[in-house]
Every structure is written in structure tokens, then in C-alpha cells.
Amino acid sequence: MPGKTISLAKIWPIASDQLTATQLRSLSDADFQQLKRLVAQRAVQNGSTRAFGQRLARQLELKRRQDRRSPYSRDVLLAAFKPGEILDALVANRRERWRPIFRRKTGQRVKCENFSFLDNPIPTYQTLIEMAVADCESYHYNIDFNDEYVTDIGPYLIFGVMREQMAPLTAGGAVSGPTTKVIEAVGLRPFLKMGPFAGVTSDDVWPLPLMQRRRGGSSSSTHLASEPSTVEIRADEISRKVDLWLQQLDPPSELTEHGTGRIKSIVAETLNNAERHGRVGGDGEWIVAGFMARRPLSGDDAAPLAHICHLSFLNLGRPISETILEAPEAITQQIRRYQQTHSRSRLSPETLATVFALQDGISRVRQGNGNPSGGTGLMDMVEFANEVGRSTSEGHGPKVAILSGRTYIRFDAPYSQGFGNSESGRRLQWFNPANDVLERPDSDYVMDLPRAFPGTLITMRFVLDSSLQMESTDGNFGEG
């Protein structure tokens, strides 16, 4: 036993119920075994049964062990390092930084505030890094979601993937009422490994529940909110949800047949790209979720309510800057020239390559004549957000953000969408006032991330209001 020992003679024949845990722990192991025998024998000599004597000896053993049991649960003690694609990317030398439970800090709080890639990109990314570091170094720490409302569902999807590989060492955390509504309605709660919420309603939230496709051979969690399914089924579900959102307007609106087809096409191309290009050899995975909520347009209590829509697509694997290098030589030469032109812009070559890859007609896929095909998917998605979210509320126009590898890009006023080139008809957005390929991108809208993200996230937010009057004859998405 550690510490100073005492002899059995100093405590015998004190009554067993008067012996303290300190006294019992101060005995050597041999003396303690002798004490148990003496206590059991005395009980029998005093007229008790042998079983009662053995019970008294057992009580001494438990008292001696009191306060020496591990304060950690079995799950905590069994927690071990697990490789995690996002966690490993966010923390350099993560395996080396992983600490055993008895060497960890306690009581830390990770505060998620303005948790949005659409409004607060770099601090939001730093918060995810802080979560990954806490998983390596902390125990019984809290993760608090302090925002009143969910203003971007994208970071929640990333956190959900992180949680699959994080150790069970958190102590919970605070979540606001409106945020719990969204988390519960969308199916994020089990995905984020949160406990049940009490008294949650969803009267002002219309969810697009979490959908997920796992690549072949990947591990599966019992907490996933959905099972793998075909791209066509998911595209159809998303188009129906958008139509439902439009029907909540006053007066109600709805998707035209053309608009339904456009949305299905955009979603299918996005998910197919995730499957084909996210992993070497294909078989990539993706996660999709969204919701519409009736919320005030500002923090003012008298502010008008609006229907605010959120939609995010996440896939892990190779970033855009890597997959675009598989394009035909004519495309990669243009990318290299663009990188050289802006080599002094303080943007990484990867970010510059991603900006170039967003433009219409830039694709890694060859047609039969050797030229690239497609290359309009991202601009189509941005156009969708601008058309469906064509709000009259000043300062609340659509936003689309992209995280991919080292890159963060945001389509937002005055760079809210691609503009057609008069000669080629291609939609182009170079993120500068002149929309000129020779001018560097605006650093408020195009920037490098502090750590490379292992995949691509496309996340958007747009406002629906009663000004939405879109005619099917002009090729847009809906009609009043």
C-alpha cells in the first residue's frame, strides 16, 4: 500500500464499524488479510453466523477500497485514439498530441458563437479546430452552441462527422431553444451524439432531414439518420421539400415543371460528382441536410418574419483543387497561367485553382472529342440560390459558401453569382469589381483556410418572401 504503514496490533481489537478507510489502507496486505480473518472469527464467537462474519470482512474490504476506485466510467477508460479524416486534418500530429485520460485538462468550454461559414468563416473553422484539439487533450469539457438561431447548417454537418471518431469525453453543453428545434427536426441530434431534448416543438421549422451515402467498406454507425439510397431518390426528395417551402409563402408559390427538373438536375450532378470524384476510383460518400425556418430578419423584436432556407452538401475526400488537375491539358495550362498571374495575391495555388474551377465550362471530364464536358454544376447551384431566394429584403440576399481543401469562397453581394460572358455565354465570377480574370480575387470573399479541409462543403442560405413571383415562361424555378 502507498504511504506510511501501521501494524495490525495498533488497531485490533477495535470494532470493525469504527475502523476508518485510512486505517485500513495503512495496513500491509498481509495484515489486512489477517484482520479480515479475525473480524470474521470474532463474529462467530459472539454468536453470529459464519455468513455474517464473512459479510463484515467484505465490508472492510470495500471500505479499504473506498475513494480509490477510478473516477472514470468504463467507456472513458476504454477511450482510445481513432483515426478520423477531419480530425486528423484539423490537428497537426494528432496521434502524438493524444493524451491518456489521467493527463488531460478538465473543465474546458468550446464556445460556438456566430457558428456560420456564411457569416463568420475563419472563426467558425477555428472553433472546429478547437473541438478537435479538445478531443486530444481535454476531459469532461463542454461544447456550447450559444447562437439563438442556426444560421448555417454546414458546420453542424462537419461536426457530426467529427463526432463519429471523437472519444466519449464531453460533458454536454448549452443549446438554445430555437437551435434545438432545428437539430431535432433535421435529425442532427443522434448524428451529433446529443442527448434527448425536453419539450421541443417544430411549429416554425420545415426540415429537409439528414441524408447520407456511405462509401463501400466504410464503417457504419447506428446513429446515422438515414440509410444509403440512390441519387435520383434524394434529388426527388429535395425538389419536393423546396416546393413545400415555396407553398408556405403568402401568397403561396410553387415550382414549375421546369423548376422541378432544374433542381433535380443540380442535386443529382452535385451528388454524382461527390461519388465519382471525391475518392480515387469513385465510390465517394456525401451528406445532405437543410431546413426552412420562420425567423425575424434582424435582432429587433419588431423586425418582420421571413422564411429563411438553408441547404448544405458535404463530401469527404479529394478537394476541387486536386480533382481539377485531371482535366485536359488545355484546362490545366489555363489554371497554371491564372496561378502565375496572381502568385503575389497571398492566396495559395490550391485556392486559385479552385476559383478557376468554379467557372462555367471548366471540367475534368472529357467528351469523345477530347474536350471537357459539363463544368456548370457549381454555377447552376449558385444560380438556383439566387433565383429561388430573390428577396426584396435589403441585406438578406442569397449566400453560397464553398470549403474545399485549403480554400474558402463565398458567393455574396456584390459577387452573388456568375455573370454571362457576352462572347461565350459562360457564367464567370472572378470575385473582383471588374469581374476580370486578370485582377486578383477580393480577400473578403476568397481566402485560405488555416488548415486544409479533407473534402468539399457547399452551404447556402436564402430568404423567401411574398415578392417571389417567378413565371415558368422565363425559364426560372417557380410561379406565384
Side-chain angles (χ1 to χ4, degrees):
M1 297 293 296
K4 184 178 179 181
T5 60
I6 62 175
S7 66
L8 177 60
K10 287 191 175 184
I11 63 172
W12 178 259
I14 299 175
S16 59
D17 60 353
Q18 296 179 5
L19 292 171
T20 67
T22 300
Q23 289 173 319
L24 296 175
R25 288 199 294 268
S26 298
L27 294 172
S28 68
D29 288 344
D31 278 354
F32 179 69
Q33 295 302 322
Q34 178 65 12
L35 174 66
K36 289 197 299 180
R37 287 192 290 269
L38 291 173
V39 167
Q41 290 171 5
R42 183 169 61 186
V44 172
Q45 292 169 357
N46 290 339
S48 298
T49 64
R50 182 183 297 274
F52 179 76
Q54 292 174 342
R55 188 156 60 247
L56 290 179
R58 174 62 176 165
Q59 290 173 353
L60 288 178
E61 186 173 322
L62 293 174
K63 183 184 288 188
R64 188 181 193 231
R65 222 165 55 189
Q66 183 180 345
D67 298 327
R68 296 181 62 244
R69 293 183 178 183
S70 170
Y72 308 118
S73 69
R74 181 175 181 273
D75 287 344
V76 169
L77 291 173
L78 292 177
F81 176 88
K82 293 181 181 178
E85 198 160 8
I86 297 179
L87 295 171
D88 293 344
L90 295 182
V91 181
N93 303 315
R94 177 170 168 257
R95 183 181 291 275
E96 288 73 18
R97 293 185 65 169
W98 180 269
R99 294 181 182 176
I101 186 65
F102 55 86
R103 290 182 52 204
R104 288 173 172 252
K105 301 175 289 186
T106 60
Q108 279 66 40
R109 305 193 82 92
V110 179
K111 298 181 180 180
C112 303
E113 297 174 338
N114 198 5
F115 197 50
S116 168
F117 290 124
L118 296 165
D119 307 303
N120 193 36
I122 300 304
T124 295
Y125 203 72
Q126 292 285 10
T127 298
L128 292 171
I129 292 174
E130 190 178 347
M131 293 176 184
V133 171
D135 177 63
C136 289
E137 301 178 353
S138 299
Y139 167 65
H140 209 66
Y141 62 95
N142 289 77
I143 299 178
D144 298 328
F145 295 92
N146 294 331
D147 296 330
E148 183 176 5
Y149 299 114
V150 175
T151 58
D152 177 14
I153 201 169
Y156 290 86
L157 298 188
I158 294 177
F159 177 49
V161 177
M162 293 167 59
R163 285 289 281 167
E164 290 188 277
Q165 302 301 329
M166 291 172 69
L169 304 177
T170 64
V175 190
S176 74
T179 295
T180 63
K181 281 186 178 184
V182 171
I183 290 175
E184 188 70 53
V186 177
L188 288 171
R189 184 180 57 77
F191 188 56
L192 301 176
K193 297 187 178 179
M194 292 182 173
F197 300 137
V200 176
T201 62
S202 57
D203 53 299
D204 56 358
V205 175
W206 293 263
L208 171 64
L210 186 77
M211 309 172 187
Q212 185 161 15
R213 193 255 185 196
R214 304 300 294 251
R215 73 181 189 273
S218 63
S219 61
S220 180
S221 167
T222 58
H223 299 291
L224 293 183
S226 62
E227 296 297 327
S229 64
T230 66
V231 164
E232 291 75 15
I233 292 174
R234 294 315 191 192
D236 188 61
E237 290 178 4
I238 292 174
S239 68
R240 287 201 305 269
K241 286 295 182 181
V242 173
D243 196 41
L244 175 64
W245 294 350
L246 291 171
Q247 292 173 26
Q248 307 309 310
L249 297 176
D250 185 17
S253 185
E254 63 181 1
L255 286 172
T256 64
E257 183 177 348
H258 172 81
T260 299
R262 284 287 305 280
I263 292 177
K264 288 183 179 180
S265 175
I266 292 168
V267 172
E269 181 172 359
T270 301
L271 302 185
N272 277 322
N273 282 339
E275 293 183 18
R276 291 195 306 264
H277 309 321
R279 300 289 180 185
V280 175
D283 196 27
E285 67 268 52
W286 45 257
I287 305 173
V288 181
F291 69 97
M292 182 180 75
R294 188 165 46 235
R295 298 284 185 255
L297 285 175
S298 69
D300 185 352
D301 292 340
L305 296 177
H307 293 85
I308 305 177
C309 303
H310 305 255
L311 187 60
S312 294
F313 300 80
L314 171 65
N315 75 279
L316 300 182
R318 299 186 299 164
I320 295 171
S321 61
E322 180 178 332
T323 60
I324 196 60
L325 297 182
E326 299 172 359
E329 179 65 19
I331 296 293
T332 58
Q333 284 181 358
Q334 292 179 55
I335 293 173
R336 286 194 291 270
R337 286 198 297 270
Y338 184 69
Q339 291 169 327
Q340 292 167 2
T341 299
H342 301 297
S343 59
R344 297 184 180 180
S345 66
R346 297 185 180 179
L347 293 173
S348 66
E350 292 88 347
T351 293
L352 292 169
T354 305
V355 171
F356 201 92
L358 300 183
Q359 314 307 315
D360 264 358
I362 304 302
S363 172
R364 65 184 286 271
V365 181
R366 297 176 185 269
Q367 290 180 325
N369 60 8
N371 295 320
S373 65
T376 65
L378 286 169
M379 283 297 182
D380 284 344
M381 186 169 289
V382 171
E383 183 177 291
F384 157 71
N386 277 271
E387 289 296 327
V388 178
R390 201 165 49 182
S391 172
T392 59
S393 303
E394 185 176 353
H396 294 89
K399 293 185 179 183
V400 179
I402 299 169
L403 279 74
S404 188
R406 294 192 61 185
T407 304
Y408 171 85
I409 296 172
R410 185 175 72 255
F411 287 85
D412 183 14
Y415 315 118
S416 58
Q417 60 185 312
F419 295 98
N421 181 284
S422 58
E423 296 179 2
S424 65
R426 295 167 57 203
R427 292 164 298 182
L428 305 174
Q429 180 52 261
W430 301 109
F431 300 95
N432 56 62
N435 201 21
D436 188 342
V437 67
L438 298 179
E439 292 190 15
R440 68 183 60 182
D442 189 325
S443 60
D444 288 335
Y445 298 81
V446 179
M447 59 192 78
D448 286 353
L449 294 170
R451 300 280 302 172
F453 179 70
T456 298
L457 171 76
I458 304 171
T459 186
M460 65 182 71
R461 182 179 69 227
F462 49 90
V463 176
L464 301 180
D465 64 25
S466 58
S467 69
L468 188 65
Q469 299 290 335
M470 294 183 289
E471 301 296 335
S472 60
T473 55
D474 65 5
N476 287 320
F477 289 90
E479 61 184 355

